[in-house]
């Protein structure tokens, strides 16, 4: 189990079609030989959010093209690879299915081994790809579809300490942008607007800070923003640019405060696990400057190291899937041609499910 | 003399996994397994069984043929994505065949292909006219012959089972440049722009 491994990774669980080639020899830093991400932002822009059927249609006709491009950019051929890793869930099932079937086809056609990867594990193991981080560490995954604290103890060993019981923050940023007439995706534009705004003008709630633990809620915040917006519209017939900037600043400050306080609690929970605590972040929301500054301040106060992989490896990508595939493969994981695509697939199978995800069980 | 080309065809565009293996014009193996779900798990093992039955392996294939629908969106994508992955991995062409071409194969022309699309609608290709969705009730077609699950009394029977027909259509196209298989959709994606307008931004 000490040989160099080169894996193709395939990712299609939301609105990015991605393929990447990653190589790793034990004792050396991992090398990302290529990482292709074909985004679908323009396809979904008119709808104010990702439309599952539109995403599924795009993935089915782009996956093999992305794989070809990733191989070409890496300068390798299938014969140079040691395996194929593919996101097998959780996510929008139409896209996950296409990715899994494309990967099975490639694996069957080349004879290479196939490893199914949990998308969340891809994010959670990224600090090991980028920084060679040792277990255990605390992970905050905060994106358009996910929000959870994970204690990462091993390649297959995750304990969820808490998470959002309803919307993910990235989703709340998108909805905020939509409510204020700003373009999608909402994260970057709301952040730009917020720079010109007064975060104290609107008293937005900090949901669930009064409750113990690391669970969070963001749907009430969105409703509060809608009420504040509608009050302004009924009073003056619309929003001024300053109103909009102030609303963005107030919303962003509330999200940043909640994430910072819950991170402080999560760090306290893992204090006994390690002498030198590390908080690693992943997901597009972690790129937000105000949120990141809040997390860094909490880490400094707790004596913890703050680790943020580069943005292109924080948002959805296939390098993290190839990497997680290498890690799982080294641990002995192999999947057959009957590998399932799973819309719901919690990383932590033992912690109680976050509420609000329906009777089919925990989503993630 | 070159051996007859081996073509593996498959289809998951409805509640089934169907496969057929053609050696030249000769059918050497075929399967049809009805299933409401589980095609993604079953398809590849089923294809391996079909190949094994004929004493062949993946590397023996000259081409893949895949049913592109119209049909169940998810089902069509399962087969098309697998075909494109296999084509890439094997370095052989994958040829997409619509359900219309498969059902009409070998029948007298012009023929109207009429397939049940649920919700009182049919997938219709009437002779040479472009395929479209049509309301079943009161539907009249121009072609003198009809085939398909919604073609009604007096319709012709397809000459071949679906997967075998897909393989035979692909055989006829072998050797000419083919586009990558893509799902053949007649219904649009179920999506609507947001209903509430954005707020007025005051000067």
């Amino acid at each position: 189990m000490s040989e160099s491994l080169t894996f193709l990774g395939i990712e299609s669980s939301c609105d990015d079609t991605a393929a990447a080639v990653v190589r790793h020899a034990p004792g050396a830093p991992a090398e990302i030989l290529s990482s292709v991400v074909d985004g679908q932002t323009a396809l979904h822009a008119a709808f104010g959010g990702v439309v599952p059927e539109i995403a599924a249609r795009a993935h089915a006709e782009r996956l093999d093209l992305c794989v070809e491009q990733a191989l070409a950019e890496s300068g390798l051929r299938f014969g140079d690879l040691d395996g194929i890793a593919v996101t097998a869930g959780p996510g929008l099932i139409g896209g996950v299915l296409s990715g899994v079937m494309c990967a099975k086809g490639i694996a069957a056609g080349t004879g290479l081994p196939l490893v199914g990867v949990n998308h969340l594990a891809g994010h959670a193991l990224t600090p090991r790809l980028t920084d060679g981080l040792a277990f255990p560490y605390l992970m905050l995954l905060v994106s358009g579809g996910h929000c959870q604290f994970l204690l990462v103890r091993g390649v297959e060993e995750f304990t969820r300490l808490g998470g959002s019981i309803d919307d993910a923050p990235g989703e709340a940023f998108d909805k905020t942008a939509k409510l204020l007439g700003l373009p999608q995706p909402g994260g970057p534009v709301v952040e730009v607007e917020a720079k010109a705004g007064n975060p104290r003008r609107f008293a937005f709630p900090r949901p669930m800070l009064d409750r113990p633990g690391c669970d969070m809620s963001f749907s009430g915040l969105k409703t509060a923003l809608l009420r504040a917006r509608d009050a302004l519209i009924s009073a003056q017939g619309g929003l001024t640019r300053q109103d909009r900037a102030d609303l963005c600043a107030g919303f962003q400050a509330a999200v940043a405060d909640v994430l910072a306080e819950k991170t402080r609690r999560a760090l306290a929970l893992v204090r006994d696990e390690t002498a030198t605590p590390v908080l690693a972040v992943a997901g597009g929301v972690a790129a937000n400057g105000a949120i990141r500054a809040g997390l860094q301040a909490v880490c400094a106060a707790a004596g913890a190291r703050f680790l943020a992989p580069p943005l292109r490896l924080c948002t959805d990508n296939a390098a993290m899937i190839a990497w997680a595939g290498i890690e799982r493969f080294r641990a002995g994981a192999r999947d057959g041609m009957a590998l399932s695509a799973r819309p719901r697939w919690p990383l932590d199978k033992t912690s109680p499910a976050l509420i609000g995800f329906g009777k089919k069980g925990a989503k993630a | 003399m070159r051996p007859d080309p081996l073509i593996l065809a498959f289809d998951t565009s409805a509640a089934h996994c169907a496969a057929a293996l053609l050696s030249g014009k000769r059918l050497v193996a075929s399967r049809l397994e009805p299933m409401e779900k589980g095609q993604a798990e079953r398809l590849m093992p089923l294809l391996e069984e079909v190949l094994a039955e004929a004493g062949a392996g993946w590397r023996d294939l000259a081409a893949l043929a895949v049913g592109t629908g119209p049909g169940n969106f998810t089902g069509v994508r399962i087969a098309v994505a697998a075909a494109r992955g296999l084509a890439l991995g094997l370095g052989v062409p994958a040829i997409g065949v619509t359900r219309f071409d498969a059902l009409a194969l070998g029948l007298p022309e012009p023929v109207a292909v009429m397939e049940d699309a649920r919700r009182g609608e049919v997938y219709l290709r009437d002779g040479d006219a472009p395929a479209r969705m049509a309301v079943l009730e009161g539907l009249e077609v121009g072609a003198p012959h009809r085939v398909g699950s919604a073609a009604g009394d007096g319709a012709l029977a397809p000459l071949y089972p679906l997967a075998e027909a897909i393989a035979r259509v692909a055989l006829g196209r072998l050797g000419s440049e083919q586009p990558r298989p893509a799902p053949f959709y007649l219904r649009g994606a179920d999506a609507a722009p947001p209903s509430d307008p954005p707020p007025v931004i005051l000067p």
Side-chain angles (χ1 to χ4, degrees):
Chain A
M1 279 305 176
S2 61
E3 81 278 35
S4 166
L5 289 177
T6 308
F7 263 60
L8 170 70
I10 297 175
E11 155 65 31
S12 56
S13 67
C14 189
D15 61 345
D16 291 303
T17 316
V21 178
V22 173
R23 173 172 286 166
H24 180 244
E31 282 179 90
I32 298 172
L33 303 180
S34 64
S35 181
V36 174
V37 179
D38 188 2
Q40 303 175 5
T41 303
L43 292 180
H44 302 280
F47 303 100
V50 176
V51 181
E53 176 63 19
I54 290 175
R57 290 184 178 200
H59 286 304
E61 297 184 40
R62 293 180 178 189
L63 276 157
D64 56 338
L65 303 174
C66 285
V67 169
E68 280 178 328
Q69 193 185 337
L71 273 181
E73 289 181 12
S74 73
L76 300 182
R77 295 180 302 174
F78 284 122
D80 303 315
L81 303 181
D82 299 298
I84 315 283
V86 62
T87 299
L92 298 175
I93 189 62
V96 178
L97 267 172
S98 286
V100 166
M101 295 313 293
C102 183
K104 285 183 188 177
I106 294 170
T110 57
L112 289 166
L114 176 70
V115 179
V117 168
N118 182 307
H119 176 82
L120 303 174
H123 281 302
L125 297 173
T126 295
R128 295 170 56 75
L129 165 67
T130 56
D131 294 79
L133 192 60
F135 300 120
Y137 53 90
L138 177 65
M139 184 81 207
L140 169 59
L141 172 54
V142 57
S143 69
H146 302 285
C147 181
Q148 50 186 278
F149 291 104
L150 293 163
L151 174 57
V152 186
R153 287 199 184 94
V155 173
E156 309 272 4
E157 213 183 328
F158 305 93
T159 304
R160 193 182 56 235
L161 304 174
S164 174
I165 60 167
D166 43 51
D167 294 353
E171 195 180 349
F173 270 92
D174 285 344
K175 286 175 180 171
T176 294
K178 190 173 149 189
L179 288 170
L180 300 180
L182 295 165
Q184 300 287 319
V189 282
V190 169
E191 184 177 7
V192 168
E193 286 285 316
K195 285 196 168 72
N198 172 7
R200 282 172 294 282
R201 176 172 162 202
F202 298 98
F204 287 135
R206 270 63 172 160
M208 297 186 72
L209 286 196
D210 55 340
R211 291 195 222 167
C214 300
D215 283 348
M216 294 165 274
S217 162
F218 296 99
S219 72
L221 181 54
K222 177 191 69 197
T223 308
L225 179 105
L226 175 64
R227 292 221 179 96
R229 180 199 79 155
D230 287 350
L232 290 167
I233 291 174
S234 59
Q236 55 194 40
L239 298 179
T240 65
R241 291 189 181 277
Q242 192 58 51
D243 291 336
R244 186 159 73 179
D246 292 344
L247 286 165
C248 286
F251 165 82
Q252 180 178 275
V255 175
D257 281 357
V258 170
L259 287 170
E261 170 57 20
K262 295 290 180 172
T263 298
R264 190 185 64 75
R265 295 182 196 179
L267 280 168
L269 283 176
V270 302
R271 188 155 298 154
D272 296 339
E273 291 274 338
T274 168
T276 51
V278 181
L279 172 72
V281 295
V285 178
N288 179 286
I291 290 170
R292 183 173 291 208
L295 299 177
Q296 284 169 325
V298 165
C299 284
R305 177 182 167 202
F306 177 83
L307 196 161
L311 183 60
R312 69 193 170 82
L313 296 173
C314 268
T315 53
D316 286 354
N317 67 88
M320 69 177 189
I321 302 304
W323 170 253
I326 287 173
E327 293 238 64
R328 289 202 70 217
F329 187 84
R330 284 201 199 282
R334 307 287 186 278
D335 285 294
M337 285 293 138
L339 175 67
S340 289
R342 301 170 63 175
R344 293 160 183 269
W345 187 3
L347 266 186
D348 178 347
K349 288 128 197 129
T350 54
S351 295
L354 294 168
I355 59 170
F357 283 139
K359 64 181 176 186
K360 287 180 182 166
K363 188 163 70 175
Chain B
M1 201 179 110
R2 273 192 340 164
D4 288 332
L6 212 52
I7 298 179
L8 178 64
F10 49 95
D11 183 280
T12 54
S13 66
H16 63 234
C17 271
L21 185 65
L22 216 55
S23 174
K25 290 181 176 172
R26 187 170 56 91
L27 180 73
V28 289
S30 71
R31 293 286 186 88
L32 174 64
E33 293 186 4
M35 63 185 73
E36 287 295 327
K37 55 182 182 178
Q39 286 99 330
E41 289 82 0
R42 182 66 187 127
L43 178 62
M44 299 299 291
L46 178 132
L47 296 181
E48 290 180 335
E49 289 167 24
V50 167
L51 286 170
E53 189 183 319
W58 291 111
R59 307 295 172 91
D60 299 320
L61 294 174
L64 301 145
V66 61
T68 56
N72 177 281
F73 292 166
T74 300
V76 169
R77 285 191 288 261
I78 285 171
V80 167
R84 292 174 73 137
L86 278 166
L88 195 54
L90 289 169
V92 301
I95 298 170
V97 177
T98 66
R99 186 176 277 245
F100 298 119
D101 285 342
L103 288 171
L105 179 66
L107 296 180
E109 295 176 4
V111 62
V113 184
M114 307 167 69
E115 279 281 274
D116 183 8
R118 304 190 185 184
R119 306 186 218 169
E121 293 185 296
V122 292
Y123 303 119
L124 172 67
R125 193 181 71 184
D126 189 1
D128 292 335
R132 63 184 174 96
M133 298 295 300
V135 175
L136 180 57
E137 196 178 318
L139 177 64
E140 298 205 4
V141 296
H145 308 289
R146 286 170 286 120
V147 67
S149 59
D153 295 338
L156 301 172
L159 284 193
Y160 306 98
L162 183 59
E164 183 182 347
I166 290 167
R168 292 189 182 280
V169 172
L171 176 64
R173 296 182 191 164
L174 202 59
S176 62
E177 194 67 25
Q178 295 292 321
R180 295 183 195 227
F184 188 84
Y185 301 110
L186 281 178
R187 277 195 176 107
D190 200 4
S195 49
D196 45 333
V200 174
I201 300 301
L202 302 170

